[in-house]
């Protein structure tokens, strides 16, 4: 057993802890805090610099929000929910905006691919999808889209959406039109990315 990161107070709202997620190859470890997502720097035994930062969301309760992280099959990208900027005069920690963001593990870029998706969007990359009609492998991203983004924290229903990895060609796959939406749900892709 080798300690690669020292004990830490966990940043803002640190009493809720830091979460971690291994890359598919097991060579990178993403960390998640109330205000940021980054990669551990094993060589220097530190958390390293954040890949993306945002204002922490202040629940004003006895719990603290943490985003989720999903790695692309090649480990080059991560997708996550980020807390967006205020839409009015509210404090940044009270903004109702939560976006689906894709981040390069190299730190070269981060981009919001779905604006105002909702706090419980939980985006997830599919496994690599092979198609005989395509030269290169492809894949998808799934996420939950709040029906009322401005109330996604407490009362909004969600639709399960599948889109191309860049967020294009988004389509609701569940529930059917006219049916009640989902609450905050966990979901997972099957091994070949077809379901």
């Amino acid at each position: 057993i080798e300690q690669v990161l020292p004990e830490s107070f966990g940043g803002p709202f640190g009493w809720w802890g830091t979460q971690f997620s291994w890359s598919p190859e097991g060579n990178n470890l993403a960390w998640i805090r109330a205000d940021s997502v980054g990669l551990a720097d094993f060589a220097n035994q530190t958390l390293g610099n954040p890949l993306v930062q945002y204002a922490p969301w202040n629940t004003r309760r006895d719990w603290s929000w943490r985003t989720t992280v999903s790695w692309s099959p090649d480990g080059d990208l991560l997708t996550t929910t980020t807390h967006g900027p205020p839409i009015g005069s509210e404090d940044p920690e009270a903004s109702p905006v939560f976006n689906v963001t894709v981040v390069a593990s190299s730190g070269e870029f981060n981009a919001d691919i779905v604006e105002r998706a909702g706090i419980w969007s939980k985006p997830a990359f599919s496994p690599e999808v092979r198609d005989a009609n395509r030269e290169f492998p492809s894949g998808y991203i799934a996420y939950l889209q709040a029906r009322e983004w401005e109330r996604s924290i407490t009362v909004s229903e969600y639709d399960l959406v599948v889109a191309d990895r860049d967020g294009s060609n988004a389509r609701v796959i569940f529930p059917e039109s006219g049916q009640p939406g989902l609450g905050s749900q966990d979901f997972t892709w099957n091994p070949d990315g077809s379901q």
Side-chain angles (χ1 to χ4, degrees), residues 79-150:
T79 186
T80 187
T81 304
T82 55
H83 189 201
I87 56 171
S89 61
E90 76 270 19
D91 184 80
E93 291 186 356
S95 170
V97 176
F98 292 87
N99 303 318
V100 172
T101 304
V102 171
V103 180
S105 61
S106 64
E108 292 178 32
F109 73 88
N110 67 70
D112 294 336
I113 62 167
V114 182
E115 294 185 354
R116 301 178 179 179
I119 190 171
W120 311 118
S121 59
K122 302 180 183 180
F125 282 110
S126 75
E128 191 175 86
V129 176
R130 298 252 176 213
D131 184 340
N133 298 322
R134 293 186 178 187
E135 181 179 356
F136 301 104
S138 62
Y140 303 100
I141 186 172
Y143 58 91
L144 296 172
Q145 172 72 56
R147 292 183 176 178
E148 297 178 67
W149 65 267
E150 64 279 6

Side-chain angles (χ1 to χ4, degrees), residues 10-72:
F13 302 103
W15 42 266
W16 202 254
T18 301
Q19 297 175 349
F20 297 94
S21 175
W22 283 107
S23 65
E25 298 284 325
N27 58 339
N28 278 315
L29 183 65
W31 52 264
I32 303 156
R33 288 188 164 180
D35 67 343
S36 53
V37 172
L39 296 183
D41 180 348
F42 294 132
N44 295 309
Q45 295 189 338
T46 67
L47 285 181
N49 295 323
L51 294 173
V52 62
Q53 291 182 284
Y54 40 85
W57 182 62
N58 190 341
T59 65
R60 305 213 187 320
R61 294 192 176 98
D62 62 354
W63 61 278
S64 176
W65 176 74
R66 297 292 183 275
T67 188
T68 57
V69 166
S70 173
W71 289 86
S72 63

